[in-house]
Amino acid sequence: MRHIISVLLENEPGALSRVVGLFSQRNFNIESLTVAPTDDETLSRLTVTTVGDDRVVEQITKQLNKLIDVVKVVDLTEGEHIERELMMIKFKASGAFRAEVKRTADIFRGQIIDITPNTYTVQLVGSSAKLDAFIEALGTGSIMEVVRSGVSGIARGEKVLSL
Amino acid sequence: MELLSGGEMVVRALRDQGVKYIYGYPGGALLHVYDAIFRQDEVEHILVRHEQAATHMADAYARATGKAGVALVTSGPGATNAVTGIATAYMDSIPMVVITGQVPSHLIGEDAFQETDMIGISRPIVKHNFSVRHAEDIPEIIRKAFHIAETGRPGPVVIDIPKDMTNPTDRFPYVFPKHVKLRSYNPVTKGHSGQIKKAFDLLMSAKRPVIYAGGGVIMGEASEELTELAQALNYPVTNTLMGLGGYPGTDRQFVGMLGMHGSYEANMVMHHSDLILAIGARFDDRITNGVDKFCPTAKIIHIDVDPASISKTIRADVPIVGPAKAVLEEMLQLLKSSNKLPDAEAVKTWWAQIDEWRQRHGGRFRTDDSEKMKPQQVIEMLSKVTGGDAYICSDVGQHQMFAAQYYKFNKPNRWINSGGLGTMGFGLPAAMGVKMNFPDADVACVTGEGSIQMNIQELSTCSQYNIPVKIICLNNGSLGMVRQWQDMNYESRHSQSYMNSLPDFIKLAEAYGHVGIKVDKYSDLEAAMVKAFAMKDRLVFMDITVDPHEHVYPMQVPRGSMRDMWLSKTERT
Ligand SMILES: Cc1cc2nc3c(=O)[nH]c(=O)nc-3n(C[C@H](O)[C@H](O)[C@H](O)COP(=O)(O)OP(=O)(O)OC[C@H]3O[C@@H](n4cnc5c(N)ncnc54)[C@H](O)[C@@H]3O)c2cc1C
Ligand SMILES: Cc1ncc(C[n+]2csc(CCOP(=O)(O)OP(=O)(O)O)c2C)c(N)n1
Ligand SMILES: [Mg+2]
């Protein structure tokens, strides 16, 4: 199963490499990884999406918790949550296909953020599945470049991940 | 307030931490620190001949005392030579602080002379590591390093110190913090009472129980509580290789070591049990054999201070996260206050079965007609001559397994060996680390002619500091453990497992100023060994010729269940 694990990390040099190293050292899978500072300047927040059975995911959270630089770990997929990913995608777009990109982007609530006579660049925000669906809808033939941010997530309701 | 340089702070903070010995080797990046060492006499530095030995000495000190040992090595090759020792301590959860020199901060990343990224290299084999960025942080970092190394699940910690951080002309106020707090590190100090109660109820209703105790009982100083509980319940106890001595080895309830080279009865007890109480043991693959066939009828209670050890390879029915000592104390309390009792009738039947297993195979070896001395006989003699009370520091191979099987450890912290990494070369420096800290105790290094040559240069260190350990070399003229596997799985094709041109170990010992004794016949063994141990202030190298064809048995059949074992070259369960 796919899991979204959020981690509060000491904002220290080398902290990120401990997390990344742990995943490769223990043969855990990483689908995507994002990391950025938080409102508390001593902390970074890292989100990793991974795929594994319950035993593996249990080990992932336990091993993450053991890292001294890791302050808190939560598996967002255990509860109600929202996930978002940002994608920028550049198409070779001319003739009739130009209109189709525009139409599909509208349906997906994407925005066209750059235009040249032969290209369109679309920005899209949503779950990873939605981004996948957008790519599928337009076919891969005319895609020039895809940039995805990786998943970020947050719990619904009152639940927060903080100190 | 006193002003100290970074180099002086390193030494002062170690002193304030209570460190008596630093094991190390100097080099460019550490010269300021070594100068600070020279200018004081409270912390003694022991100069080894290879950095790996420094780490094993520090590690063995920790195994014998429970307190973190300290190694000091320079940048680059000094640090990389220490890597094997760090990994050895990591795999066995041993507290240790390793201080590595580093090139000056402004050169880091420039492929400077003797630069290696020690933070990166050590990352997967440490509990934590620190890189010093401000000299004034040194005392606090050292305090934190010991705190992390010694608490929770112990482990090695590396502190990497760029040379400019120890500059003698930059001086800072020195304060050694009494306490440290790390917001992201709070090891558990007691178990969950509800879980303990649940475990207790299971324990009381078991019909075929077994207690499986590991290294966590030794490092967690819980052997008294374990012994009390086991004896109050009258349940059989088995120890892992790392747990030997955690329960008295000569006690009737002890069924021996379990696992790949465990006793017949220990593996049978495990396989047929209906309840396993695992304490500070990590269900290693050398124990479980095929995990899908592991102990099919057993429920499992697992006490471990590290939640990640629980349900990692074998799913626990009742997990208890906490230090063994505190959890066992709580169980003992429950036993005293509750009106529940173990099922004595069932346990009696269980013991009858166990005794039958014992009779059948009771860990015996056979002396065949050849005159050759058996390695097992040497260990039995060692046990006899030392009254079973020596510190036995082992290398890795068949001799290690024979020592584990035939030396009866009645006390914790007496059996010092590399289990998780299986580091050949560990034995001699380990014995040195123990002997320096327990000068009045008998300390033996049980080794093979292969392993001893991996750190033989330390015979020189032993001369310099007069460290009179006894080296018991079971010389079978081959890399016996490798050879055994080749006998069993490769139709005796002994690829590279023989030792050609062995040195004359007697002359070698003498060259370093020590005593060498060669023994070829069993009839000479006792007198020779008595003589060796009587020479209290001399290092004695006993080169003992043993049967090269001997195998270690029992040996589990790969991927089978725990009870699938070879019992000799011809018998299988
Ligand atoms: C040639 C060779 C052959 C071997 N054959 C065997 C064999 O036949 N049988 C065998 O047993 N081993 C054997 N080993 C050793 C094996 O590889 C493992 O090292 C060993 O089995 C692990 O022991 P352990 O489970 O006690 O764990 P350890 O490595 O000692 O780990 C201790 C566990 O206790 C926990 N712990 C630490 N402190 C505490 C505390 N205060 N409270 C609670 N828990 C705590 C830790 O988190 C950890 O989970 C062999 C090794 C070699 C080199
Ligand atoms: C550093 C290292 N290299 C290789 C091994 C693999 N190995 C395990 S036991 C063994 C043979 C040990 O030979 P010896 O010390 O003579 O002991 P014996 O088995 O003969 O008693 C080897 C090569 C190891 N454990 N450690
Ligand atoms: Mg040998």
Side-chain angles (χ1 to χ4, degrees):
Chain A
M1 210 187 116
R2 176 171 174 270
H3 289 254
I4 303 172
I5 296 170
S6 267
V7 179
L8 283 183
L9 198 61
E10 294 286 1
N11 192 1
E12 294 273 347
L16 177 61
S17 72
R18 296 182 205 278
V19 174
V20 177
L22 176 74
F23 274 75
S24 66
Q25 174 186 359
R26 297 200 178 260
N27 222 355
F28 299 148
N29 148 297
I30 297 186
E31 288 216 322
S32 81
L33 174 80
T34 68
V35 59
T38 64
D39 54 329
D40 176 344
E41 63 181 24
T42 67
L43 291 172
S44 315
R45 180 157 175 158
L46 179 145
T47 311
V48 54
T49 53
T50 183
V51 175
D53 60 27
D54 288 353
R55 191 180 66 89
V56 171
V57 174
E58 183 179 324
Q59 268 297 309
I60 292 177
T61 51
K62 284 174 168 178
Q63 295 290 352
L64 279 170
N65 262 312
K66 266 171 76 171
L67 295 176
I68 309 284
D69 283 341
V70 166
V71 186
K72 267 195 182 158
V73 180
V74 62
D75 181 353
L76 287 175
T77 22
E78 274 180 357
E80 294 273 307
H81 66 280
I82 300 160
E83 67 162 283
R84 288 291 181 269
E85 186 175 0
L86 179 139
M87 173 167 72
M88 292 183 280
I89 179 164
K90 189 176 289 185
F91 294 97
K92 194 174 285 158
S94 50
F97 189 61
R98 260 178 111 78
E100 194 182 335
V101 171
K102 172 81 176 76
R103 214 170 31 245
T104 315
D106 285 345
I107 294 169
F108 279 82
R109 296 208 196 119
Q111 292 158 312
I112 293 174
I113 53 174
D114 186 52
I115 301 179
T116 69
N118 296 314
T119 67
Y120 264 159
T121 303
V122 178
Q123 169 189 304
L124 194 61
V125 174
S127 68
S128 304
K130 173 174 158 178
L131 307 192
D132 293 342
F134 179 73
I135 293 175
E136 206 168 298
L138 283 168
T140 47
S142 46
I143 295 176
M144 298 169 72
E145 190 177 355
V146 177
V147 189
R148 297 174 72 145
S149 65
V151 175
S152 291
I154 195 164
R156 282 189 186 276
E158 306 265 308
K159 253 203 263 168
V160 291
L161 178 61
S162 67
L163 280 188
Chain B
M1 208 176 289
E2 201 177 355
L3 295 181
L4 296 183
S5 72
E8 290 165 337
M9 285 198 275
V10 170
V11 185
R12 184 68 66 87
L14 290 175
R15 181 203 75 174
D16 289 345
Q17 182 65 44
V19 172
K20 193 166 152 212
Y21 294 120
I22 306 175
Y23 310 98
Y25 208 90
L30 282 179
L31 286 172
H32 300 324
V33 178
Y34 272 86
D35 193 53
I37 289 174
F38 188 87
R39 287 183 286 100
Q40 55 86 52
D41 55 9
E42 289 168 299
V43 183
E44 192 180 345
H45 180 275
I46 307 300
L47 179 69
V48 293
R49 299 298 176 263
H50 185 294
E51 289 87 351
Q52 183 187 349
T55 54
H56 292 330
M57 286 182 83
D59 165 315
Y61 163 77
R63 290 179 201 245
T65 63
K67 293 206 285 280
V70 182
L72 179 64
V73 299
T74 193
S75 70
T80 53
N81 272 351
V83 166
T84 301
I86 299 169
T88 302
Y90 178 75
M91 289 299 282
D92 290 340
S93 307
I94 303 302
M96 175 160 89
V97 173
V98 179
I99 299 176
T100 57
Q102 184 53 279
V103 301
S105 312
H106 71 279
L107 292 180
I108 290 179
E110 297 187 356
D111 303 317
F113 176 63
Q114 296 196 326
E115 177 184 1
T116 48
D117 172 13
M118 196 51 189
I119 294 294
I121 288 177
S122 67
R123 204 212 67 247
I125 50 168
V126 292
K127 185 164 171 188
H128 195 56
N129 55 25
F130 292 94
S131 172
V132 175
R133 276 154 219 279
H134 308 283
E136 59 270 39
D137 296 345
I138 287 174
E140 188 179 344
I141 288 178
I142 288 181
R143 183 76 189 80
K144 279 184 181 165
F146 277 86
H147 174 63
I148 291 170
E150 289 176 345
T151 55
R153 178 180 186 164
V157 176
V158 164
I159 307 175
D160 198 45
I161 311 185
K163 186 170 185 181
D164 50 320
M165 296 294 126
T166 57
N167 205 340
T169 52
D170 301 334
R171 310 177 77 78
F172 305 89
Y174 172 82
V175 190
F176 189 69
K178 281 211 183 58
H179 304 286
V180 279
K181 230 188 114 49
L182 289 126
R183 64 176 169 185
S184 59
Y185 177 69
N186 300 294
V188 282
T189 52
K190 68 186 288 293
H192 185 279
S193 296
Q195 289 293 93
I196 296 175
K197 178 77 183 39
K198 219 158 135 196
F200 178 77
D201 291 342
L202 266 183
L203 271 175
M204 291 304 114
S205 58
K207 307 236 178 286
R208 299 184 310 280
V210 57
I211 301 176
Y212 148 51
V217 168
I218 309 282
M219 276 295 132
E221 298 174 348
S223 60
E224 254 175 61
E225 291 75 9
L226 164 65
T227 308
E228 194 183 335
L229 183 73
Q231 295 186 347
L233 297 170
N234 188 29
Y235 290 177
V237 182
T238 177
N239 280 149
T240 66
L241 182 73
M242 300 314 296
L244 293 174
Y247 187 85
T250 52
D251 187 82
R252 181 191 62 90
Q253 278 171 246
F254 186 61
V255 295
M257 180 170 85
L258 78 168
M260 175 173 280
H261 291 300
S263 74
Y264 172 75
E265 54 270 37
N267 287 343
M268 293 300 273
V269 165
M270 286 291 287
H271 183 85
H272 293 278
S273 66
D274 69 347
L275 181 69
I276 296 171
L277 172 61
I279 312 168
R282 57 188 174 83
F283 293 86
D284 183 78
D285 52 71
R286 299 263 131 156
I287 304 281
T288 57
N289 208 4
V291 283
D292 48 329
K293 303 190 183 104
F294 180 76
C295 303
T297 50
K299 280 216 174 324
I300 293 169
I301 303 167
H302 193 173
I303 306 170
D304 203 292
V305 76
D306 177 5
S309 276
I310 299 178
S311 299
K312 181 173 68 179
T313 60
I314 300 286
R315 182 119 222 127
D317 298 286
V318 184
I320 305 175
V321 179
K325 194 179 179 73
V327 175
L328 291 179
E329 268 167 8
E330 207 169 321
M331 279 190 178
L332 280 166
Q333 222 44 52
L334 281 176
L335 190 63
K336 280 169 198 152
S337 59
S338 128
N339 47 13
K340 282 193 189 144
L341 287 171
D343 184 341
E345 211 38 52
V347 174
K348 199 171 147 203
T349 315
W350 183 221
W351 271 115
Q353 170 66 71
I354 297 170
D355 287 336
E356 192 195 314
W357 285 327
R358 260 187 183 155
Q359 305 257 292
R360 235 191 284 169
H361 281 280
R364 269 170 280 117
F365 60 90
R366 304 216 165 89
T367 41
D368 51 35
D369 306 333
S370 78
E371 280 298 282
K372 295 202 181 91
M373 204 178 336
K374 295 286 178 187
Q376 298 94 324
Q377 292 179 297
V378 180
I379 303 297
E380 285 188 332
M381 185 61 76
L382 181 63
S383 199
K384 182 176 167 198
V385 170
T386 57
D389 199 29
Y391 287 86
I392 304 295
C393 304
S394 181
D395 257 308
V396 171
Q398 290 183 320
H399 60 272
Q400 175 188 25
M401 292 301 111
F402 291 133
Q405 292 175 336
Y406 291 92
Y407 200 97
K408 302 296 171 204
F409 295 93
N410 280 324
K411 292 182 192 158
N413 308 92
R414 286 290 203 275
W415 166 239
I416 309 248
N417 84 134
S418 163
L421 199 67
T423 307
M424 288 172 70
F426 176 80
L428 175 57
M432 292 158 59
V434 174
K435 184 70 184 173
M436 289 208 74
N437 289 281
F438 296 92
D440 299 329
D442 282 334
V443 180
C445 161
V446 172
T447 186
E449 80 301 323
S451 294
I452 192 67
Q453 293 188 81
M454 285 217 180
N455 269 318
I456 191 109
Q457 75 288 345
E458 297 309 316
L459 287 175
S460 169
T461 311
C462 291
S463 321
Q464 181 169 346
Y465 298 96
N466 186 25
I467 313 176
V469 299
K470 309 295 177 237
I471 297 172
I472 310 296
C473 181
L474 304 188
N475 190 338
N476 55 8
S478 70
L479 302 175
M481 185 56 95
V482 174
R483 183 189 164 113
Q484 171 168 351
W485 283 64
Q486 291 169 336
D487 283 340
M488 295 176 78
N489 303 315
Y490 299 88
E491 299 167 317
S492 297
R493 287 186 297 278
H494 296 148
S495 178
Q496 307 298 317
S497 60
Y498 61 93
M499 280 268 154
N500 221 337
S501 18
L502 285 176
D504 179 335
F505 286 115
I506 307 306
K507 281 196 191 140
L508 187 66
E510 286 167 1
Y512 281 108
H514 304 305
V515 179
I517 300 180
K518 191 158 173 61
V519 184
D520 291 317
K521 292 207 302 285
Y522 182 67
S523 50
D524 296 339
L525 182 64
E526 182 161 12
M529 211 179 256
V530 167
K531 186 171 137 204
F533 279 92
M535 284 185 259
K536 293 280 175 210
D537 54 358
R538 298 303 298 276
L539 183 151
V540 182
F541 192 121
M542 294 192 72
D543 183 15
I544 305 172
T545 312
V546 296
D547 184 355
H549 302 293
E550 189 61 25
H551 283 179
V552 183
Y553 292 111
M555 179 162 174
Q556 282 175 336
V557 177
R559 286 175 297 280
S561 71
M562 284 207 75
R563 69 169 165 184
D564 297 323
M565 291 170 266
W566 284 100
L567 300 168
S568 72
K569 285 185 185 169
T570 51
E571 295 161 86
R572 255 190 73 161
T573 51

